Amino acid sequence: MDISKKYKWALSGLIVMTVLNAVILVSVWMDHNDGRDWHKHRSNDRDENSSQQFMKNELGLSDEQSDKISDLRREHFGEIRSIKKELDDTRRSYLNYILMNEDHDPQMRDSLVNTLTKGYAEIEESLYVHMQDIREILNDEQAQRFKEFMQRHGQQENDRNRKNRRD
């Protein structure tokens, strides 16, 4: 093959690779660009300072309000971690019961299921109380922005979950 044909093939390959890379980058960008998402403002889920700063900016919180909400969040998430640890232990016991017991004891099963159900109910109750506590700190305008913020967040979370189920 002469040099001009090699050059044309190399140039064609370069163009095809460039177009494919552009298409991939655009599809990745479009897939992850779902509006102003509060997750994008945090380096990770454990960094409460960056999420707290985002809430402060988004809601226009004073330093005092921000500190109170930060304390509430720390307390709430500590409580949730404790409940989730208990749920994980109970779930492990429940799975062991299912897999290891050949003599199925309905009372034991019901006891474990009830413990799990109560744990999930505690999480929901804790979330309700936490949201009420936060709303008490906010003024009317901030409470409205908080409501809109949480609705957007909830919708974004639903969209992510729906997308993940499709994948």
Side-chain angles (χ1 to χ4, degrees):
M1 206 184 292
D2 69 351
I3 197 84
S4 66
K5 281 189 178 183
K6 288 181 182 179
Y7 177 74
K8 286 180 185 177
W9 276 107
L11 184 61
S12 298
L14 179 65
I15 291 170
V16 168
M17 287 182 358
T18 303
V19 169
L20 284 174
N21 281 332
V23 168
I24 290 170
L25 286 172
V26 167
S27 68
V28 167
W29 178 79
M30 290 181 71
D31 190 36
H32 291 292
N33 185 18
D34 53 357
R36 189 169 188 194
D37 183 357
W38 71 290
H39 287 290
K40 292 176 185 174
H41 295 275
R42 329 192 279 184
S43 58
N44 65 48
D45 286 344
R46 302 288 181 229
D47 184 3
E48 74 177 49
N49 291 331
S50 60
S51 61
Q52 188 67 26
Q53 188 63 40
F54 175 72
M55 281 184 63
K56 184 176 181 178
N57 294 339
E58 183 82 5
L59 302 177
L61 301 176
S62 69
D63 289 339
E64 182 182 348
Q65 287 175 312
S66 181
D67 291 343
K68 286 180 182 178
I69 289 175
S70 181
D71 292 343
L72 286 174
R73 287 172 48 86
R74 191 174 6 269
E75 181 182 320
H76 171 70
F77 289 118
E79 180 181 342
I80 295 299
R81 268 192 298 280
S82 172
I83 295 170
K84 284 186 176 183
K85 183 187 179 319
E86 291 174 20
L87 280 170
D88 288 344
D89 293 343
T90 304
R91 190 176 303 112
R92 213 173 350 271
S93 296
Y94 184 60
L95 287 173
N96 284 337
Y97 167 78
I98 291 170
L99 297 173
M100 302 302 174
N101 288 331
E102 292 164 14
D103 59 329
H104 297 286
D105 178 8
Q107 289 178 332
M108 177 65 147
R109 182 196 67 221
D110 290 346
S111 172
L112 290 168
V113 168
N114 287 336
T115 303
L116 287 170
T117 303
K118 286 178 188 173
Y120 289 116
E122 284 179 41
I123 287 174
E124 294 305 318
E125 177 65 24
S126 177
L127 177 63
Y128 177 81
V129 169
H130 178 63
M131 290 297 166
Q132 291 297 95
D133 290 344
I134 288 176
R135 285 181 23 199
E136 287 177 10
I137 294 170
L138 305 175
N139 63 35
D140 291 340
E141 182 184 332
Q142 291 169 329
Q144 181 60 35
R145 280 190 278 174
F146 181 67
K147 178 182 174 184
E148 292 166 0
F149 167 75
M150 292 306 291
Q151 287 173 335
R152 276 194 322 266
H153 169 66
Q155 184 59 46
Q156 290 168 347
E157 194 68 30
N158 288 342
D159 292 346
R160 266 192 298 280
N161 289 338
R162 209 177 352 245
K163 180 187 167 291
N164 289 339
R165 283 192 297 266
R166 279 185 279 154
D167 290 344

